[in-house]
Amino acid sequence: MKILLVEDERRIADFVCAGFKEQGFVVTHCDEGNAGFDAASSGNFDVIVLDIMLPGRDGLSILKGLRREGNATPVILLTARNELDDRVDGLNLGADDYLAKPFFMEELIARIHAMLRRISGERQNVLVVGNLRLDRISREVAWAGHTIDLTRREFNLIEYLMRSPGRVFTRTQILEHVWGYDFDPSTNVVDVCIQRIRKKIVALNMNDQEPSPIESVRGVGYRFHKPHTDV
Ligand code: CA
């Protein structure tokens, strides 16, 4: 998950960034409103966490600008305790949620998950594709009922592919979403990570002839195998 944080208070930005990284989120931080707007309007984020009082351009103006240009990226506003009018304005301008400072990191993360569930209309936190079951909240993955012990990176990678079974993702896309940096043609971290996941699944799959759920698409990238749907 790629998150943009626009927050000028260094102390808050530091702990929020650290908390997001612990969750395995990929964070971009801007400490000024104009830069924040430019980053936000790139449309390249899953969530924007937006402070209201900012140097350069304030959060409500950024939000208004984004919605005006048709950018529907979910936005959660960070507000000071006394900014009730701003919260109301923010919701009217198309914010998806707000959180008053000071807040606990756990609450911000819970709000983000809740917001995404609400927005995507996904009631369940569990993805099931073929034999593989992934729980986004407990962060458990199981193959045919057997838990697979995955690293955070491996979990994020498989979750990313599993969201869109059958769709091919390039190494660049996978790198950007799971590692958060631009493609370096010399790196093979994606391939290495996928090999590790496959080995872990194969280890549970000894008696079974099922193909790996992660398919290589020659010269392009990878996709999560889309099983034929039963009647
Ligand atoms: Ca501020």
Side-chain angles (χ1 to χ4, degrees):
M1 175 140 66
K2 292 185 76 174
I3 298 196
L4 174 66
L5 171 68
V6 189
E7 166 63 76
D8 59 315
E9 250 177 278
R10 184 63 188 272
R11 193 176 48 84
I12 296 178
D14 284 350
F15 96 77
V16 171
C17 284
F20 282 159
K21 283 175 190 163
E22 261 173 40
Q23 288 289 309
F25 298 168
V26 175
V27 198
T28 300
H29 171 230
C30 295
D31 61 3
E32 191 273 333
N34 290 305
F37 178 76
D38 290 344
S41 57
S42 72
N44 204 18
F45 295 95
D46 300 303
V47 173
I48 299 169
V49 178
L50 189 57
D51 185 28
I52 292 186
M53 296 290 283
L54 290 165
R57 182 168 183 177
D58 71 71
L60 293 181
S61 159
I62 292 173
L63 175 63
K64 197 172 175 178
L66 289 175
R67 297 303 187 240
R68 192 188 293 139
E69 65 186 25
N71 183 319
T73 308
V75 168
I76 182 162
L77 291 173
L78 300 180
T79 69
R81 205 191 288 272
N82 55 2
E83 292 173 338
L84 177 63
D85 290 348
D86 285 346
R87 282 175 217 169
V88 174
D89 289 348
L91 294 172
N92 285 334
L93 287 173
D96 299 279
D97 201 356
Y98 65 83
L99 190 57
K101 296 176 186 174
F103 54 85
F104 289 104
M105 198 57 213
E106 290 78 5
E107 180 168 18
L108 178 57
I109 288 164
R111 292 286 194 94
I112 287 172
H113 282 305
M115 181 174 79
L116 290 176
R117 280 199 299 279
R118 199 168 65 232
I119 290 163
S120 63
E122 292 169 3
R123 293 284 155 78
Q124 84 282 27
N125 305 310
V126 176
L127 295 176
V128 179
V129 182
N131 278 334
L132 207 67
R133 179 183 190 281
L134 178 146
D135 186 324
R136 285 170 163 151
I137 300 298
S138 68
R139 297 181 70 82
E140 282 177 349
V141 178
W143 173 266
H146 302 283
T147 302
I148 310 173
D149 189 19
L150 296 178
T151 65
R152 193 183 70 203
R153 194 82 80 188
E154 291 162 0
F155 178 93
N156 290 343
L157 196 160
I158 207 163
E159 195 260 349
Y160 181 54
L161 297 180
M162 251 181 117
R163 276 192 238 164
S164 310
R167 179 175 159 198
V168 181
F169 292 94
T170 65
R171 286 178 181 76
T172 310
Q173 287 172 318
I174 297 171
L175 266 179
E176 265 194 36
H177 279 262
V178 180
W179 277 264
Y181 48 82
D182 293 332
F183 185 64
D184 167 1
S186 67
T187 180
N188 64 346
V189 288
V190 172
D191 309 85
V192 170
C193 190
I194 283 179
Q195 285 313 315
R196 280 202 312 264
I197 298 172
R198 282 177 172 161
K199 275 187 190 156
K200 289 179 179 182
I201 293 174
V202 166
L204 296 171
N205 198 21
M206 297 286 278
N207 304 320
D208 211 330
Q209 293 307 304
E210 292 238 11
S212 169
I214 302 176
E215 300 173 329
S216 306
V217 182
R218 212 195 231 310
V220 187
Y222 293 97
R223 75 175 156 216
F224 200 90
H225 177 70
K226 189 175 190 173
H228 298 294
T229 41
D230 299 317
V231 180

